[in-house]
Amino acid sequence: MEEQFERYYELLKEWNSFMNLTAITEREEVYKKHFLDSLSFVCAKEQMEKILSADISKDELRLIDVGTGAGFPAVPLKIVFPHLQVTLLDALQKRIDFLNEVIRSLGLEGIETVHGRAEDFASNEVYRETYDLCVSRAVAGLNVLSEYDLPFVKVGGLFVSYKSEKSEEELKTAEKALHILGGEVSDRVSFSLYGAQRDLILIKKVENTPKKYPRKAGTPNKKPL
Ligand code: SAM
């Protein structure tokens, strides 16, 4: 596991020299702000397992990371929880190329990459409402993100949004969208990570998302629900 994180760091640094993957490149900072921040998911593990009636360490849960970029948070999660069946989705082909190399080089199994926009893939029946968990970090405001992420989650599953101290405001703005899309806020787990406040917002899928959502690519961002 430690060797996999080290290899991941080396690849990130190497590929970042010829493409834009991250502004953070110093080893300790990458470990803190990308690897450990991604793994802060464990702070809400107990709450999530209760909602899912599952064991995240052992069960083969399906997890999708929407707007994964250089693989955060899902690649660190896959390293630590190898039973998870992971999909990494991103709109940028170059980042997908990087992730394919990470998967190959780290010898990860039960993980796939998908190049495209969330709005397009969430309408595809292979992906729609088939995931136990959908995670996103630093992709969009919660009102927009709900329309990207909730369609992937099956009823009874969870959408987990990584946020910072502004999450209270974001939650208010997203109330209507969550209701329309079949989501309900179950919990907000707040903690401090190296002095910065971090929030994990747990949204349970309580009803199917109406077929007309997500709207066509670009619309959720232009006209949030
Ligand atoms: N989640 C990563 C992290 O925390 O480091 C990457 C964050 S980066 C700021 C946002 C990523 O979301 C980009 O890689 C971008 O291509 C992707 N993205 C934004 N909107 C998207 C959409 N509608 N569908 C798929 N990917 C999207």
Side-chain angles (χ1 to χ4, degrees), residues 34 65-70 72-73 89-92 95 116-119 137-139 148:
H34 286 320
D65 182 356
V66 172
T68 187
F72 306 118
L89 173 79
D90 202 275
L92 281 185
R95 293 188 176 150
R117 292 191 65 120
E119 302 94 306
R137 187 186 81 155
V139 175
Y148 293 164

Side-chain angles (χ1 to χ4, degrees), residues 8 11 28 34 37 44 47 49 51 66 74 83 87 90-93 97-98 106 117 122 136 174 181 185 194 205 214:
Y8 189 15
L11 285 170
E28 202 181 318
H34 286 320
D37 191 58
Q47 292 89 330
E49 288 181 333
I51 296 165
V66 172
H83 286 85
T87 302
D90 202 275
L92 281 185
Q93 180 65 54
D97 294 342
F98 167 72
L106 272 60
R117 292 191 65 120
S136 284
L181 300 161
V185 181
Y194 299 108
K205 184 82 174 260

Side-chain angles (χ1 to χ4, degrees), residues 13-171:
K13 205 168 117 185
E14 186 189 324
W15 284 59
N16 204 49
S17 66
F18 55 88
M19 70 165 70
N20 180 19
L21 286 171
T22 173
I24 302 163
T25 51
E26 203 266 314
R27 188 173 176 278
E28 202 181 318
E29 290 292 291
V30 170
Y31 269 77
K32 285 182 182 171
K33 295 189 177 159
H34 286 320
F35 298 169
L36 288 174
D37 191 58
S38 296
L39 294 174
S40 67
F41 176 89
V42 299
C43 295
K45 187 170 176 275
E46 213 175 292
Q47 292 89 330
M48 292 190 279
E49 288 181 333
K50 212 167 164 188
I51 296 165
L52 296 169
S53 302
D55 183 338
I56 291 172
S57 311
K58 289 192 189 139
D59 295 339
E60 291 199 359
L61 299 175
R62 274 170 63 75
L63 176 145
I64 183 166
D65 182 356
V66 172
T68 187
F72 306 118
V75 172
L77 292 177
K78 176 68 186 173
I79 295 173
V80 172
F81 299 112
H83 286 85
L84 292 175
Q85 298 299 302
V86 171
T87 302
L88 304 170
L89 173 79
D90 202 275
L92 281 185
Q93 180 65 54
K94 282 184 181 169
R95 293 188 176 150
I96 295 294
D97 294 342
F98 167 72
L99 292 168
N100 286 335
E101 177 56 17
V102 169
I103 291 169
R104 194 199 60 74
S105 181
L106 272 60
L108 300 175
E109 284 171 9
I111 182 166
E112 61 168 359
T113 55
V114 177
H115 169 230
R117 292 191 65 120
E119 302 94 306
D120 296 326
F121 278 89
S123 309
N124 180 328
E125 62 176 29
V126 176
Y127 301 95
R128 189 177 181 85
E129 298 193 322
T130 63
Y131 290 90
D132 303 286
L133 285 158
C134 178
V135 293
S136 284
R137 187 186 81 155
V139 175
L142 194 60
N143 51 349
V144 176
L145 194 61
S146 302
E147 194 169 347
Y148 293 164
D149 286 24
L150 270 170
F152 287 106
V153 183
K154 60 185 181 195
V155 172
L158 273 175
F159 154 40
V160 181
S161 175
Y162 284 63
K163 291 288 177 189
S164 59
E165 71 275 3
K166 284 192 199 137
S167 74
E168 187 86 35
E169 273 168 52
E170 287 205 36
L171 268 172

